[in-house]
Amino acid sequence: MSTQMHDHIVKSYDDEQRRLLNETLRMGEMAASQLEAALDVVQRRDDKAAERIIANDEAIDALEQEVSHDVMKLALRGPMARDLREILAAIRIASDIERVGDYAANVAKRSLALNLSPPLPHVSGLHAIGTLAVQQLRDVLVAYRDNNVELAQRVRARDADLDVAYTALFRELLTYMMEDARSITPCTHLLFMAKNIERIGDHATNIAENVWFLVRGEEALPPREKRDGSSTTAAP
């Protein structure tokens, strides 16, 4: 094979890898924006905006299909070990981002039901944990873009903070429901929303672990603290 032909093939492969990375990052930013928008419509009690967010989830699903298609194209090129890790990481990360988009849409859907009840003060607590989740997602996308293992590990470690905030809100909502039976239905919607957001934090952690895999291969991950106590928490 001539040097010119080899250089052309290498450049073509590099271009396809960059396209895959950019598609995945664009998908991640769409999901982060969807979550921000969902948190906003919960606070503003805006049904029409919530419906737009729900409809926009299809765009994230479509982009995941594009990523999967590009992954298959790269896989058929006979990648080397590092290239193969990039392909595996991309398809796993795209799957996590797609789930984030689903959870953001679920928050918007729940807001439609929540708006049938009088406003609750606990919405501010939901917004707080949602803001943590958005930051986790945006930071881990930067870690993925830059192959930054240290930032990915910080994101992974900070998931414990999100767990603590989620558990505190969980306890608060349970207590409120016990004190006022009329709040049970709207608080239940908020509990489901909060769990969706907590799961978004878990998916950001998955992405962080895939950044580790991408850069360090099969090297063992350091231990991580997990502090979601909602499953064992009883109301006071």
Side-chain angles (χ1 to χ4, degrees), residues 5-217:
M5 177 66 74
H6 178 266
D7 289 345
H8 174 75
I9 291 172
V10 170
K11 182 180 183 303
S12 173
Y13 191 85
D14 288 345
D15 288 345
E16 288 178 14
Q17 283 184 312
R18 278 192 295 272
R19 170 183 161 85
L20 178 60
L21 173 63
N22 289 335
E23 281 180 340
T24 309
L25 291 171
R26 182 158 63 95
M27 185 181 172
E29 178 52 36
M30 287 172 64
S33 296
Q34 284 280 84
L35 178 55
E36 283 182 322
L39 296 170
D40 182 59
V41 301
V42 172
Q43 286 195 309
R44 292 191 293 109
R45 298 171 65 88
D46 187 335
D47 286 356
K48 288 185 178 179
E51 289 167 357
R52 287 195 297 271
I53 292 167
I54 295 164
N56 286 344
D57 186 48
E58 293 182 5
I60 296 176
D61 294 343
L63 196 48
E64 188 198 15
Q65 292 299 314
E66 286 187 39
V67 169
S68 297
H69 176 72
D70 287 346
V71 162
M72 289 302 299
K73 284 170 60 179
L74 283 170
L76 292 172
R77 299 279 291 268
M80 303 295 286
R82 164 70 192 203
D83 297 328
L84 185 58
R85 290 208 304 271
E86 289 184 359
I87 290 168
L88 289 173
I91 200 162
R92 291 171 181 171
I93 289 169
S95 177
D96 279 308
I97 292 170
E98 190 272 335
R99 293 300 296 140
V100 170
D102 287 345
Y103 285 127
N106 287 347
V107 170
K109 287 175 187 175
R110 287 275 176 184
S111 77
L112 296 173
L114 185 64
N115 291 347
L116 298 175
S117 301
L120 286 173
H122 308 84
V123 167
S124 61
L126 184 79
H127 192 272
I129 66 169
T131 300
L132 289 175
V134 169
Q135 191 60 53
Q136 287 284 82
L137 183 57
R138 288 221 159 96
D139 285 351
V140 84
L141 290 171
V142 171
Y144 174 48
R145 182 194 68 196
D146 298 342
N147 287 332
N148 188 332
V149 173
E150 290 75 20
L151 177 56
Q153 285 303 100
R154 289 197 296 273
V155 170
R156 186 169 175 261
R158 288 203 317 257
D159 186 54
D161 297 333
L162 181 54
D163 290 340
V164 168
Y166 164 70
T167 300
L169 180 60
F170 181 91
R171 289 175 60 93
E172 186 180 342
L173 287 168
L174 283 186
T175 301
Y176 196 68
M177 291 163 74
M178 292 177 69
E179 292 174 350
D180 184 356
R182 294 170 299 179
S183 71
I184 290 175
T185 295
C187 283
T188 299
H189 291 306
L190 279 176
L191 283 171
F192 277 110
M193 289 173 170
K195 188 60 182 177
N196 285 335
I197 292 169
E198 189 270 338
R199 290 292 295 127
I200 287 172
D202 291 342
H203 285 287
T205 298
N206 290 347
I207 295 171
E209 291 175 352
N210 273 293
V211 173
W212 176 278
F213 166 73
L214 174 60
V215 177
R216 299 283 180 87

